[in-house]
Amino acid sequence: MALFSGQTPISESSLKLGMDCLKHRGPDGHKFWISPDRRVALGHRRLSIIDLIGGEQPMSNQDGSLHLIANNEFYDFERIQRDLKQRGYHLQTKCDSEIALHLYDEFGTQCLHYLRGEFAFIIWDQRNEVLFAARDRFGIKPLYYTIYGNTLYVASEVKALFAAGVPACWDHEAFWQDSWGVLSSGRTLYANVYQVPPGYFLLASDAGMRLHRYWDFDYPQSDNYLSQQCTQEDYIQQLRQTLDEAIQLRLRADVPVGCYLSGGLDSSTVLGIAASHSSEPLKAFTIAFEHEAYDEEAIARETAAYCRADIEVIPVNQKDIADHFADTIWHCEMLSLNANTTAKYLLSRAARDAGYKVVLTGEGSDEIFGGYVHFRQDKLLYNQQQEDEDTIKYLLKELRDKNQVSVSFLFAEDQSIPDLNTIERLLGFIPSWMLAAAQRHLDSIRFYSPEVIDQFQGQDVYRMFFNHLDVQGQLKGREIINQSLYLWSKTSLANYLLRMLGDGVEMAHSIEGRLPFLDHKVVELVRNMPVSLKISGLTEKYVLREAAKPFITDTVYKRQKHPFIAPPSTYNPNEALQQLIQDSLRSSAMSCVPFYNQAAIIQLLEKLPTINESQRAATDFFLLRVLSTYFLQEKFALT
């Protein structure tokens, strides 16, 4: 956590209160530094993984002109350490974090291009009186900031800002935009609290504060594929080698490293390749759900046996989720659409209890290879390979029939929504995931309060969203699938998948998740591949399947993508999670939540027993969003 004041002295007690709120992120030690003029303060809580004894922070360079705090894992750091020593730098620790300090001394903000990994860090440059705060390319590590009382506050979590004295208030406009699925990666649900967007850094001085972009996806123009000389086999080999390197680098730690495992291609690939680099059996952790359609235990066990891994299965039922849902929301600070977030929270607790601080995960694969059903739908709807109309209709029907579990959440109906005209004008098409999100919002709008509808119904949420994007530089002339992937990365990837299903639930239990699919060298390789290698017919992640084939079972190789979704609470009306929903949303406290029409929600709850299973599944996403809102208001006393 960092504080930078323009005039008034920093409050040491504010810094300590913010740090105390982040104890779960760093239980292994804490320390702070305040500048002699009391205008700058840096506080750090440590999760010791590399150089367990010597990596204490804040750390300074030899002459004390630079001070660093970091929440990071920098890969290939030992090579950079050797290079820095050759340049004359004296390294005081063996910790990977220290390289950022000296790379900044050498290259200034351009140091970011030398760093590989997950990170959010802050450097106070005393010589130039500049505060430099940077976030990794994809937003794996969170970084929030606000200006309050002429002081800049920067922290890993919003709750630390609130604990330090920043007012805790809803941002009504951001909440409305999030309900459409297009909250940009620079905003939060909280008034005057923002994120440093993925791939950006922040500079603050007495002259003011500015954000700068240092990385973006930069998908190639569509016609650039024609000039590429690589064969399909070339791409497969390149991916296998680059992914292998990314996984091997992420096995480097001074503590044991485990793997999260499901029945899917992504985590199975990570475990399979990781096992090839380990002389001892790796530890794998997997979730088992009670509902057969959502449970992947059997496939995970088969994969673990194939990889000679020691598997630990964590059963998760509706009562487990009910007991821990509120705590999950407090840690994640966002709205949950499915109980998978709480299930992952319990998975991380089990990993911690087993003595692990580091796990490799499969997150990010769907976002670069086009793994979700809506990306396959886009490929068919916009038919850039010019297949005949009957074939397209058949394939669309088959796609829908094969994805019943995710239909209500990710699959878009074929209908026109006037609000989407802005997207059509800008892009010439409407990404299926944006259509699906718009449908979910419009289906639920009757449950919003009249005041909220009156305030925001005239707002063009898509215009506001695209105003913050480089449409000409990053979208125009790109393949339609790549445009959809890019937009998904600017919304759901950073805000939901990485913050909630990743960092939020992992760091709640002091677990560092490492994501080899979001190694920037892997991403930069995949972004330049033809779309036909990402999605071949109805087969998603085709090039990954082929690259991973030697490391995975035949079952996983042939299996279609199944999204990681927990069984809907609405399937079990008499069990604990549905009871929690019923009790919370009917309560007097719910009447204080400013966004919803409680009477309409109670009518929905009373109607649940009469609707079919498919409708119940769709309703569950909305009910958990409302329940998340309820607990955020309660936990943070939001006004």
Side-chain angles (χ1 to χ4, degrees):
M1 182 173 190
L3 282 72
F4 173 53
S5 173
Q7 298 171 344
T8 56
I10 292 294
S11 165
E12 183 177 317
S13 62
S14 291
L15 177 68
K16 287 181 175 179
L17 287 168
M19 289 174 63
D20 288 346
C21 207
L22 297 175
K23 184 176 181 179
H24 52 280
R25 297 191 73 89
D28 298 332
H30 62 280
K31 185 182 172 186
F32 66 89
W33 171 85
I34 299 179
S35 63
D37 61 6
R38 302 191 70 82
R39 291 183 58 226
V40 182
L42 303 177
H44 187 263
R45 298 210 66 109
R46 187 172 188 222
L47 179 64
S48 52
I49 291 171
I50 301 288
D51 189 5
L52 304 185
I53 298 173
E56 191 177 68
Q57 298 183 38
M59 58 176 62
S60 307
N61 63 345
Q62 279 188 289
D63 66 7
S65 62
L66 300 176
H67 303 269
L68 165 83
I69 51 174
N71 174 24
N72 71 277
E73 204 59 56
F74 297 133
Y75 304 113
D76 200 19
F77 69 94
E78 288 153 325
R79 177 187 59 79
I80 297 174
Q81 287 173 334
R82 292 191 295 270
D83 182 60
L84 287 168
K85 288 176 182 177
Q86 289 175 358
R87 292 174 181 268
Y89 287 92
H90 173 70
L91 273 66
Q92 303 172 67
T93 74
K94 297 178 181 178
C95 180
D96 61 312
S97 300
E98 189 180 351
I99 67 172
L101 196 65
H102 303 305
L103 285 172
Y104 174 82
D105 193 22
E106 187 76 6
F107 301 110
T109 61
Q110 299 305 303
C111 68
L112 293 166
H113 298 286
Y114 295 84
L115 295 172
R116 183 175 185 177
E118 299 96 46
F119 56 82
F121 67 86
I122 302 168
I123 291 176
W124 170 244
D125 181 346
Q126 178 66 52
R127 191 182 302 117
N128 299 298
E129 295 194 327
V130 170
L131 188 82
F132 168 50
R135 191 176 182 196
D136 65 67
R137 295 163 179 85
F138 309 103
I140 298 168
K141 291 299 178 186
L143 192 59
Y144 298 95
Y145 69 94
T146 188
I147 296 175
Y148 177 65
N150 203 34
T151 297
L152 171 67
Y153 295 75
V154 189
S156 291
E157 296 184 12
V158 175
K159 62 180 70 66
L161 304 178
F162 294 160
V166 174
C169 306
W170 286 111
D171 184 331
H172 289 234
E173 181 182 82
F175 189 94
W176 182 254
Q177 291 173 6
D178 186 65
S179 71
W180 285 90
V182 288
L183 182 67
S184 72
S185 53
R187 295 194 71 168
T188 73
L189 298 174
Y190 311 101
N192 200 37
V193 176
Y194 302 93
Q195 301 182 61
V196 175
Y200 276 71
F201 64 87
L202 177 154
L203 288 177
S205 67
D206 287 340
M209 184 197 77
R210 290 195 65 181
L211 290 168
H212 302 266
R213 187 178 74 186
Y214 70 90
W215 188 93
D216 214 336
F217 282 85
D218 295 324
Y219 283 106
Q221 296 280 339
S222 299
D223 53 9
N224 284 0
Y225 291 117
L226 300 176
S227 62
Q228 295 178 5
Q229 301 299 314
C230 290
T231 66
Q232 177 174 300
E233 189 55 38
D234 289 337
Y235 280 121
I236 292 168
Q237 289 297 333
Q238 288 175 31
L239 177 59
R240 188 177 292 150
Q241 292 166 9
T242 309
L243 187 56
D244 179 86
E245 179 188 61
I247 291 170
Q248 190 172 3
L249 286 172
R250 282 161 177 75
L251 290 170
R252 169 70 176 91
D254 295 336
V255 295
V257 178
C259 292
Y260 284 167
L261 179 65
S262 69
L265 173 64
D266 308 328
S267 61
S268 300
T269 298
V270 171
L271 177 62
I273 295 177
S276 73
H277 292 289
S278 178
S279 57
E280 300 293 326
L282 290 171
K283 182 80 169 184
F285 300 90
T286 194
I287 293 169
F289 290 123
E290 291 177 306
H291 197 291
E292 184 180 352
Y294 298 83
D295 183 41
E296 299 183 310
E297 178 185 350
I299 301 173
R301 284 190 180 278
E302 181 186 347
T303 294
Y306 182 79
C307 299
R308 299 177 296 104
D310 176 17
I311 189 169
E312 180 173 334
V313 178
I314 296 88
V316 175
N317 59 36
Q318 297 279 305
K319 184 178 185 306
D320 297 325
I321 291 169
D323 289 345
H324 297 94
F325 187 87
D327 287 340
T328 303
I329 296 302
W330 182 80
H331 278 286
C332 294
E333 305 170 340
M334 296 286 291
L335 302 177
S336 178
L337 298 179
N338 183 256
N340 56 0
T341 311
T342 307
K344 188 90 178 288
Y345 173 93
L346 295 169
L347 180 73
S348 297
R349 185 183 69 174
R352 180 206 63 190
D353 291 347
Y356 284 78
K357 290 183 177 181
V358 179
V359 293
L360 271 59
T361 81
E363 265 83 30
S365 172
D366 291 310
E367 284 69 33
I368 62 172
F369 291 104
Y372 296 117
V373 62
H374 48 72
F375 296 129
R376 279 171 279 161
Q377 185 181 17
D378 281 340
K379 189 166 184 288
L380 293 172
L381 284 175
Y382 303 108
N383 191 14
Q384 293 184 302
Q385 295 181 340
Q386 303 301 310
E387 296 187 66
D388 68 86
E389 189 175 330
D390 288 340
T391 300
I392 292 296
K393 286 181 179 177
Y394 170 78
L395 290 174
L396 280 169
K397 182 180 183 303
E398 188 176 358
L399 183 66
R400 186 178 182 83
D401 290 345
K402 285 183 176 180
N403 289 275
Q404 287 302 315
V405 169
S406 59
V407 160
S408 61
F409 183 45
L410 294 173
F411 205 95
E413 297 284 357
D414 182 19
Q415 69 180 64
S416 175
I417 298 175
D419 301 84
L420 300 173
N421 289 341
T422 293
I423 306 174
E424 181 77 48
R425 285 195 299 271
L426 282 172
L427 305 182
F429 79 105
I430 300 169
S432 293
W433 74 263
M434 296 183 106
L435 176 56
Q439 286 179 332
R440 287 198 304 275
H441 172 77
L442 294 174
D443 288 344
S444 62
I445 201 166
R446 65 188 185 277
F447 302 111
Y448 285 87
S449 70
E451 295 79 11
V452 168
I453 294 171
D454 288 344
Q455 185 177 1
F456 295 112
Q457 65 180 350
Q459 190 181 86
D460 187 340
V461 294
Y462 298 109
R463 176 62 51 84
M464 297 179 72
F465 170 66
F466 279 99
N467 280 347
H468 295 280
L469 296 180
D470 180 8
V471 174
Q472 291 295 324
Q474 293 292 327
L475 292 168
K476 286 295 183 182
R478 272 66 175 191
E479 295 276 0
I480 278 174
I481 298 301
N482 288 338
Q483 292 185 56
S484 287
L485 287 165
Y486 182 85
L487 294 168
W488 184 259
S489 77
K490 298 301 179 184
T491 51
S492 294
L493 174 61
N495 286 336
Y496 191 79
L497 294 157
L498 296 180
R499 181 66 185 102
M500 295 199 73
L501 282 172
D503 180 89
V505 293
E506 290 159 358
M507 290 302 286
H509 301 291
S510 311
I511 293 287
E512 177 182 89
R514 296 183 174 182
L515 288 69
F517 285 111
L518 291 185
D519 182 288
H520 76 274
K521 292 185 181 293
V522 173
V523 173
E524 288 171 359
L525 172 66
V526 175
R527 76 178 175 195
N528 292 322
M529 293 181 178
V531 167
S532 59
L533 286 180
K534 300 173 187 178
I535 305 173
S536 178
L538 292 183
T539 302
E540 79 283 359
K541 297 185 284 195
Y542 173 78
V543 67
L544 175 59
R545 287 177 193 277
E546 298 306 316
K549 194 172 183 180
F551 305 99
I552 58 177
T553 65
D554 196 50
T555 302
V556 170
Y557 173 75
K558 293 178 178 178
R559 188 173 186 244
Q560 192 175 41
K561 165 74 181 177
H562 283 242
F564 171 55
I565 295 177
S569 68
T570 46
Y571 286 1
N572 307 94
N574 298 318
E575 293 197 16
L577 181 55
Q578 182 57 210
Q579 289 303 308
L580 176 67
I581 292 172
Q582 295 277 347
D583 293 345
S584 301
L585 302 195
R586 293 174 184 270
S587 69
S588 58
M590 179 65 197
S591 64
C592 299
V593 175
F595 306 108
Y596 295 110
N597 179 337
Q598 188 181 20
I601 289 174
I602 290 173
Q603 286 181 347
L604 174 65
L605 294 174
E606 291 175 347
K607 204 174 130 184
L608 276 178
T610 67
I611 63 178
N612 63 42
E613 191 171 274
S614 176
Q615 291 172 315
R616 287 189 192 185
T619 303
D620 195 69
F621 291 116
F622 171 71
L623 291 177
L624 287 183
R625 178 182 170 85
V626 180
L627 186 65
S628 304
T629 310
Y630 169 87
F631 280 122
L632 283 178
Q633 174 139 324
E634 180 187 75
K635 292 284 187 179
F636 295 130
L638 295 168
T639 58

